Amino acid sequence: MTPLPLDFYLQPTLAAARALLGQLLVRRFADGAVAAGRIVETEAYTVGDPACHAFRGRTRSNASMWGPPGRAYVHINYGLHYCLNAVTAPEGVPEAVLIRAIAVSPEETAWLWHRRFGEEVALPAKDRDIRPLVAGPGRLARAFAIDKTFDGTDLTNAESPVHLAVGVDVPDDDVTTTTRIGITKGADLPWRFYVRSSPFVSRRG
DNA sequence: ACAAGGATTACCT
DNA sequence: GGTAATCCTTGTT
């Protein structure tokens, strides 16, 4: 697998959010097992955007948004859910793309499902019912065992416990653009992108 | 120290 | 479709 190069993260953040659709989120677990998912839903957060965590200035928990691009920004939401972002824009410019949903191959889905919910919980037959595993930023982070300790991880390095790699291109006619979910400020900006044909999108809109 | 609110999810009808 | 649960981060006393 080829990691996405640093340049990828230097394109405008909105373009990066769109371009991230179809790319791979790769997780290398401590025991050597590897899981990969295709990104199917993203949101952009930029400088001057009131919904961006960086809007009110730098704090201990959002500091990695100001760091170099191509790194992870992991934040806690509602005090209990971890959310994974890819930092974009040059160092000093706090922008990022939130990864909201991924699609996982059937083979990998089976072991990830049982790893997440236990062996006794039956794997659903329909794709649509796999959503509790991968649809939603908190869910996918949980499925891939990503927490605050991954904040700042180099996503351009294939050796990292989490990185992003070249996947497949998603044609424009399979991409839907909507407003972002779960925010009150900047709620009118159409900065969410998702793959229409994917059953793993968190919400239709 | 304390209160408020949040880039969500799970569980109910 | 609607609502409660959950608890960390931040800004204010």
Side-chain angles (χ1 to χ4, degrees):
Chain A
M1 279 182 288
T2 310
L4 291 176
L6 189 59
D7 279 355
F8 184 94
Y9 303 91
L10 287 168
Q11 61 188 311
T13 298
L14 281 171
R18 160 65 180 86
L20 229 29
L21 296 177
Q23 313 297 347
L24 302 176
L25 172 64
V26 186
R27 172 78 164 96
R28 186 179 304 280
F29 291 98
D31 65 2
V34 174
R38 222 175 61 250
I39 296 169
V40 297
E41 182 179 345
T42 62
E43 285 177 357
Y45 290 87
T46 71
V47 167
D49 164 20
C52 182
H53 286 167
F55 188 69
R56 307 249 166 108
R58 186 173 184 148
T59 67
R60 184 181 218 87
S61 59
N62 68 13
S64 55
M65 290 192 84
W66 274 264
R71 304 292 182 89
Y73 165 47
V74 179
H75 74 272
I76 299 177
N77 186 240
Y78 287 82
L80 64 159
H81 306 294
Y82 293 102
C83 299
L84 173 67
N85 300 251
V87 174
T88 55
E91 185 160 1
V93 181
E95 307 199 337
V97 176
L98 170 67
I99 299 174
R100 286 192 55 90
I102 56 177
V104 180
S105 74
E107 307 79 56
E108 287 195 354
T109 296
W111 71 266
L112 283 169
W113 179 274
H114 293 303
R115 186 179 176 287
R116 164 73 175 83
F117 298 110
E119 288 299 327
E120 68 280 6
V121 181
L123 178 70
K126 286 179 290 194
D127 280 347
R128 184 190 173 76
D129 298 327
I130 304 293
R131 285 187 301 170
L133 184 70
V134 290
R139 288 166 167 173
L140 78 86
R142 180 81 189 272
F144 274 34
I146 292 168
D147 61 23
K148 192 71 179 170
T149 64
F150 290 76
D151 189 56
T153 299
D154 184 0
L155 298 175
T156 67
N157 184 349
E159 308 298 310
S160 293
V162 193
H163 79 278
L164 297 179
V166 174
V168 297
D169 282 331
V170 177
D172 284 341
D173 63 10
D174 196 18
V175 176
T176 298
T177 303
T178 75
T179 53
R180 296 170 295 179
I181 292 175
I183 58 173
T184 53
K185 291 152 290 191
D188 53 329
L189 299 170
W191 289 359
R192 171 174 176 248
F193 304 89
Y194 71 82
V195 178
R196 196 198 334 269
S197 63
S198 174
F200 303 108
V201 169
S202 68
R203 282 194 230 174
R204 305 275 147 186

